[in-house]
Amino acid sequence: MQQTRVREELFPDCPIRNVLARISSKWPMLVLFTLDRSGTLRFNALRRAMPDISQKMLTTTLRTLEEDGLVSRRVYAEVPPRVEYELTARARSLLPILSELIDWAHSNMAAIMRDRQTHAAAVPQAM
């Protein structure tokens, strides 16, 4: 997340760079799609739904998404404490756009991979 903070400081008024820096790293979109698919989830249920994310990274990602108003966090005064996460209206308005991007990626992935291979074969390898 340090890299994201540096980008925000360099380009604080650029909405594209600022917003994309927050949601385009490895985990935020996956958290958003997991919450969209599953609805309101407790922390451990969300972590089980994303088994390759560490507890620390999930905590950091959820805090960032909460700061941006994409995820709401509800704490219940119980012992032990119960915390639930759910998407906000802002996040729900973002999901169709992200879905379009995913559809585009699916439609173009084979051609992109072919182009990468062609480019790699044509460029001399540095030693």
Side-chain angles (χ1 to χ4, degrees):
M1 287 301 182
Q2 181 64 24
Q3 186 179 23
T4 299
R5 295 193 198 295
V6 169
R7 280 188 238 147
E8 289 170 359
E9 291 172 14
L10 290 173
F11 309 105
D13 297 325
C14 179
I16 294 170
R17 287 181 178 169
N18 190 290
V19 172
L20 286 180
R22 299 286 280 222
I23 63 169
S24 66
S25 62
K26 184 174 183 178
W27 299 112
M29 282 196 256
L30 292 173
V31 169
L32 294 174
F33 277 108
T34 301
L35 286 172
D36 181 51
R37 184 181 60 227
S38 302
T40 302
L41 290 175
R42 294 176 72 171
F43 183 89
N44 285 330
L46 185 54
R47 187 158 177 230
R48 280 191 301 276
M50 303 172 61
D52 50 343
I53 191 169
S54 70
Q55 181 172 338
K56 180 180 178 184
M57 185 51 66
L58 180 56
T59 298
T60 301
T61 301
L62 286 167
R63 283 184 184 154
T64 300
L65 292 171
E66 186 180 7
E67 286 173 12
D68 289 348
L70 298 171
V71 169
S72 66
R73 179 179 183 261
R74 185 176 298 134
V75 180
Y76 295 90
E78 299 174 357
V79 178
R82 178 170 50 119
V83 180
E84 293 180 342
Y85 297 90
E86 67 181 331
L87 296 179
T88 63
R90 181 176 300 145
R92 291 190 192 289
S93 72
L94 175 61
L95 287 168
I97 297 163
L98 295 178
S99 292
E100 286 291 322
L101 179 60
I102 290 169
D103 290 345
W104 180 88
H106 280 289
S107 297
N108 290 279
M109 185 64 171
I112 289 169
M113 297 308 290
R114 279 192 309 273
D115 290 344
R116 286 181 185 173
Q117 289 175 342
T118 301
H119 180 75
V123 175
Q125 298 299 316
M127 290 191 188

